[in-house]
């Protein structure tokens, strides 16, 4: 589990190319309970900075990015100049007590211990602050997407969202949830990059990676995805927020 959680740095290019951006309306919803004005947000498990940039783009929001993988942070610093980026985890944040108004985690909560992470994030987030969790997951109600997932293998995140078992602990209160359905046009290269950015594939043997790539190409051939063409990938953005108690 630890090996997979820290494996993404070897595929920063694939992560940036293959993973979708975060919807601005969903990110705004995460932070909606906060008062207007300058806000300090900690983006945990920030990776290459996709959610970091979305939070920063809301305006009036200073962001500190935290990730356990130095390679991911290097890519983040390159793509997001001026953002403070530090090494750490949700269970061990290198930040002072009550120094943030909110903490966000994109595609990351399924990697953490929810009790220990809630306690540590609660140390850093001020009373009345927000813990925001967000995932972009492929919509498996579409038949070809189910076939693609069967080829690539499922994930803990997809299981957590599908079974609606997202949980947080003290000092945060009950979770609120919102979902958005949308689609993204993806080329064959982007679909392969998306697969290559998944931890289960990153940590697979070369033989297994080749088998998965071949099976994906056979599916794309069947679907008529030609060079320069795209497939419409249906996504669900699942967002959750909780307020820190006093």
């Amino acid at each position: 589990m630890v090996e997979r959680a820290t494996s993404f740095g070897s595929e920063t290019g694939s992560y940036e190319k293959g993973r979708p951006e975060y919807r601005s309306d969903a990110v705004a919803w995460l932070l909606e309970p906060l008062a207007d004005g300058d806000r300090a947000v900690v983006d945990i498990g920030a990776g290459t900075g996709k959610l970091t940039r979305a939070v920063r783009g809301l305006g009036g929001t200073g962001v500190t990015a935290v990730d356990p993988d130095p390679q991911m942070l290097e890519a983040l610093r390159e793509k997001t100049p001026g953002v403070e980026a530090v090494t750490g985890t949700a269970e061990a944040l290198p930040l002072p007590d009550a120094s943030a108004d909110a903490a966000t985690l994109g595609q990351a909560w399924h990697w953490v211990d929810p009790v220990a992470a809630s306690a540590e994030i609660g140390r850093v987030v001020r009373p009345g602050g927000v813990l925001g969790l967000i995932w972009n997951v492929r919509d498996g109600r579409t038949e070809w997407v189910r076939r693609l997932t069967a080829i690539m293998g499922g994930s803990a995140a997809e299981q957590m969202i599908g079974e609606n078992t997202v949980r947080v602990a003290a000092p945060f209160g009950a979770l609120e949830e919102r979902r958005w359905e949308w689609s993204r046009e993806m080329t064959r290269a982007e679909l392969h990059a998306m697969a290559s950015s998944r931890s289960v594939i990153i940590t697979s043997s070369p033989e297994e990676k080749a088998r998965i790539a071949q099976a994906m190409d056979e599916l794309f051939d069947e679907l008529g995805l030609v060079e320069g063409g795209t497939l419409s990938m249906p996504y669900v953005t699942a967002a959750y927020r909780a307020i820190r108690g006093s």
Side-chain angles (χ1 to χ4, degrees):
M1 184 73 166
V2 173
E3 178 191 3
R4 287 178 56 190
T6 57
S7 65
F8 298 102
S10 63
E11 287 289 346
T12 56
S14 295
Y15 200 99
E16 269 294 300
K17 183 176 182 178
R19 299 293 183 105
E21 304 297 329
Y22 291 98
R23 296 174 58 108
S24 59
D25 52 355
V27 178
W29 180 85
L30 289 179
L31 303 180
E32 188 179 58
L34 298 178
D36 292 336
D38 293 340
R39 301 174 292 192
V41 178
V42 181
D43 185 31
I44 303 166
T48 60
K50 285 183 176 285
L51 182 54
T52 304
R53 293 189 289 275
V55 171
R56 193 186 195 189
L58 295 177
T61 304
V63 189
T64 299
V66 179
D67 198 90
D69 191 324
Q71 289 178 277
M72 294 294 262
L73 288 178
E74 182 179 347
L76 184 149
R77 293 187 186 102
E78 181 179 316
K79 297 175 183 301
T80 319
V83 168
E84 181 182 4
V86 296
T87 304
T89 67
E91 298 88 350
L93 295 168
L95 302 169
D97 294 357
S99 58
D101 298 300
T104 57
L105 291 93
Q107 314 292 128
W109 192 250
H110 56 285
W111 291 115
V112 312
D113 178 326
V115 174
S118 294
E120 174 66 351
I121 294 168
R123 177 186 66 79
V124 172
V125 172
R126 302 179 184 104
V130 174
L131 171 58
L133 315 175
I134 191 168
W135 288 267
N136 291 318
V137 293
R138 296 179 312 283
D139 191 342
R141 291 174 295 182
T142 301
E143 191 266 345
W144 77 265
V145 177
R146 289 196 300 273
R147 292 175 62 188
L148 178 62
T149 299
I151 292 168
M152 298 187 301
S155 72
E158 291 157 2
Q159 182 177 353
M160 180 181 284
I161 300 303
E163 296 176 356
N164 201 21
T165 56
V166 180
R167 299 290 183 268
V168 298
F172 292 95
L175 282 170
E176 299 178 73
E177 177 190 356
R178 280 281 306 273
R179 297 195 179 203
W180 291 260
E181 296 178 7
W182 55 285
S183 62
R184 175 193 181 199
E185 294 298 317
M186 299 185 70
T187 64
R188 187 182 288 237
E190 287 169 337
L191 287 160
H192 276 294
M194 179 268 294
S196 296
S197 75
R198 291 163 59 86
S199 62
V200 67
I201 295 178
I202 294 172
T203 55
S204 294
S205 67
E207 294 77 16
E208 179 65 4
K209 290 176 182 178
R211 184 198 66 78
I212 291 169
Q214 180 179 345
M216 289 176 63
D217 279 329
E218 290 172 356
L219 173 61
F220 300 152
D221 288 343
E222 180 183 334
L223 295 170
L225 179 58
V226 298
E227 186 67 31
T230 62
L231 284 174
S232 182
M233 173 68 79
Y235 275 97
V236 175
T237 295
Y240 302 79
R241 69 187 184 196
I243 305 300
R244 189 203 188 283
S246 57

